[in-house]
Amino acid sequence: MQLNPVYSARCLRHCCRLRLRAYSSTPERPPTSTSLPKPRLDYRDISENVVFKSHNAFNRKAPLPVGAVQKVARLYDEQKDLSHTLNTKRHARSTIGDRIRSLAKDPQKKQAALDEAKALKAEISELEERVARLEEELHALALAIPNDTHPDVPIGPESVAVTLSTHGSEPLPASPARDHVSICRALDLLDLEAGATVTGSSWYYLKNEGALLELALVNYALSIAMKHGFTPVTTPDVVRSDIARRCGFQPRDPADGAASQMYHLMHSPDPAAAESHNHPELVLAGTAEIPLAGMFANRIFSAAELPLKVVGLGHAFRAEAGARGADTRGLYRVHQFTKLELFVLSEEEKSGEMMEEMRRVQTEIFEGLGFPFRVLEMPTEELGASAYRKYDMEAWMPGRGSWGEISSTSNCTDYQARRLHIRYRRQPTTSSSSSSSTADQGQGALPFAHTLNGTAAAVPRLIVALVENGAVFDDAGAVVSLRLPKALQPFWVGGNSRGLVTFLAKQAYSAFNREKPHSSITEWVEILTSSTYEDEAYDGIPELVDAINIQATGPAEASRAIRKKIKHGNPHQQYRALVVRPTSDDTSFADHQLTDALKNLAADPATDTKVKKKLAAVLAAWHLQFKDDPSMALVANLYKQCRVAHATRVSTDRKTIESVNAGLGLGSDYLERKKKEEEARKKREEEKRKAKEEKERRKREEEERKRRAAQPKTKRKPFNFEQEKPQILTAIANASQAANNLVNAMTLVNTQQESLETNERVQECLTKVKQARKQIVRYIQLVENEDMIGVLIETNDRIIAALENYDLLTKPDTSEQQVKEIQEGLAATKLSNGELGKLQERQRAAIERSVGRAGSSSMRPDPGEESPTSPTSPTYVHPDLQDLEFGSLGAEQRGLPPPIRPTAARSSDDDDDAWRRGSLSDFSDYQSSDEEAHNRATASSSSQPRRRGYVDVSDNEAPHAGRTPKQAPLEEEDPFADPV
């Protein structure tokens, strides 16, 4: 055969290109995580609805950083401003290029334009980097914000979920004998031990009829989905982690990066080698929803193609299967299971309708299986990041004793489509076809599709529900076979060689499970009598009453449901049944079966005391309500009948016991002895119980002591007197002031009209004194300086003296004369500052020595000039004080000692410089920081003649040997002086 020369040349060139690529030293371009562009998030919607988005994230308990939504809005505004500035700079750069070309003949202007272009280039480069960083941060934050929530979704945890409907037969009583694990092991349908050996816990083998049951369930659910227009698809079990993330699944736990919610695949066991290959990160799909959504990524559909409905068969892999405690038993929560998933792409206006259609498909699937199930509207805290609204379907599993989730349906609106770039073109209307076609030319005008997903069959959960509801037991309580619904028989392969499986029609299956006609009323009673409700909770009762009044068979069904709880329920269920009793105006609920159940409850000696009290209250209320209604005579007379029956039963029981004891020869002495023995036995048991509790308590205390001893002890910071000195002085001043305030407050109280315990001012001062004393006592224990310790002890004694006076005045046996004497003593007592005052005087003296005061003898007044207005006159009164009346204190002013002033630095020739007056702060306890008061010019006092002499107070109480009165004091550092 002769080859075409042109074809041969092309083949040769292609082969050479491949060989060159294989041996090229230049590395190939590393593959990206996906070929998809970045998600198209609606930043404007977030920034315009910050409050709504924040509340929505809070209601859903989304793992968002604090203030994330507000930060997104702020970053979006910054990004718009920077982008506008960047575009302006780019436009200026383009205009500069034209200017440079036009200035070719002018070198100077051309060079200036070139310099300007160079500066613009640097600015543009910097702006581009800032915009890129800002967009990256904005994108990361916005991705974490969850989808919006439907207005009808209840807010709160799983417990507030709303039951939309109930289906199937009446639930079987909860029984451990119906545990699916024990049933499957008895029938050889399940091997968990081999799964644990081969792979680990929560992995399993289905055998014999168990394996056939899985295939039948898949084919059965697939047939119903295809009947409703769903296209079958088999999906890959391995997906890129970026696709899973775009669908709203977190491949890694945000709270713990090391923990993972999915299984990750490694291309090499060596992490370094894996990084060098630059392979995309792959994970095992957690649900077929992920590959189904990725199948339509980065595509544009026409509106005529929507809704696009597919049903995908795949395996779900869950790495967190062992994180739910009791749910990990058996098949209920495993690491891998077969799952049939419904997935829909729809227009944004029709996603709500499609969600209801998917719900109807799921209901049809589960109704054919015959077990009881219910549909719930899930609350906000149960919604995933992508879900706008979610329905859950739960089957009754008597072996587990609770409802278990078997399916869910979620409307994700455009959450996934924005991240996966799934869009569609609207059908143009006749009136605006031209404008629509023009708008569709731009990709930005294309709306995003809405995605919905729902579970058609999660095989292990369905097996649990079918096995626990369909197991057949013999008289000895051993499981012998399994009854399955007739709907699975066409899809059963392999026959029934062991004869363990029996297929029943839906009617027979319901009869086998003792189905009785009921609607949501029975479910309401079941919920309202559960342990999640308090004894006297009335939530949900109005809805139950409405349901009874609406339905024709409502009263009969309510009577049957309440009668069941009264006869077979525990004390809490019996009490709740009496609380939620029907209160409809229809009297048909008061049938003979319910009244007989109430009578038996009242007459049963084993009835709980609390239930009996509630029953008596209910019957008394019915008696008052219906005593005048002849049609309700049966109910109205229950109160009297139950009281007579109770009294009769008690009397009969007492007589029976007495006759039996008499026949046995058991006298009163014997019974009394037995009673004492029983009391002694109970007392011993109580003592043993208390001793055991005490032993456990001591053991816990010893363990706690050892734990604390094992912990590293933190060393307390050593006490530094020089650093703490200002705080010590402040504490002394506060404590002295507090003691003075308490004494003054007690002095002002009229004990004949008011007590010290009720006087607010005294109690306030008392509290402050006690608080101040705590600091004084602490410093006494820490301070080693002798002078400061003396001041602290004196302050503590002053506080104790004030507290002792308070205790004496508050004693109940203190006479009025004693109270009067104590108050007079307090009034006559002058609490001076003592050593604290001396310390403060020394501080001020040190300040004066450091600064010094210049004195001038020329400023002395003439001693011979005295007049009535002269300050030296005995009758002189300062103009500011002439209008004041001092009473007896003013009359005794001549007997007051001369004022005291601190010694100032003197010059050698001003031997009588002591006449100059000090400032107000020199004589107060207030530690002023105003240097002007200490350093004011002496000229301000030159015009004021002295009125009387002043007593000089030196720093040292004893006279210094090496200093004459005219010499300045020695310059020694005062340890308590303020730092200069």
Side-chain angles (χ1 to χ4, degrees), residues 13 101 269 411 520 592 845:
R13 285 196 301 270
R101 286 188 291 272
N411 183 0
S520 60
H592 288 281

Side-chain angles (χ1 to χ4, degrees), residues 137-159:
E137 184 179 4
L138 175 63
H139 188 73
L141 279 175
L143 279 176
I145 298 177
N147 198 356
D148 293 343
T149 306
H150 192 279
D152 293 340
V153 172
I155 298 175
E158 184 180 4
S159 58

Side-chain angles (χ1 to χ4, degrees), residues 1 23 109 421 468 515 519 604 611 834 901 910 947:
M1 183 178 66
Y23 293 97
K109 292 184 178 180
H421 291 265
E468 293 190 356
E515 179 182 9
S519 60
D604 187 359
V611 176
R901 65 175 301 277
D910 57 350
R947 181 182 176 189

Side-chain angles (χ1 to χ4, degrees), residues 798-816:
R798 187 178 305 133
I799 294 175
I800 293 175
L803 293 175
E804 289 177 350
N805 289 329
Y806 174 82
D807 293 338
L808 290 174
L809 290 173
T810 54
K811 284 184 178 180
D813 55 350
T814 304
S815 63
E816 295 182 2

Side-chain angles (χ1 to χ4, degrees), residues 240 397 572 694 768 836:
R240 298 190 181 194
M397 301 176 182
H572 177 74
E694 180 66 18
K768 292 182 178 180
L836 177 61

Side-chain angles (χ1 to χ4, degrees), residues 383-401:
L383 300 181
S386 61
Y388 174 69
R389 189 179 191 182
K390 187 174 82 164
Y391 297 146
D392 271 8
M393 296 189 179
E394 296 181 343
W396 174 249
M397 301 176 182
R400 297 179 71 248

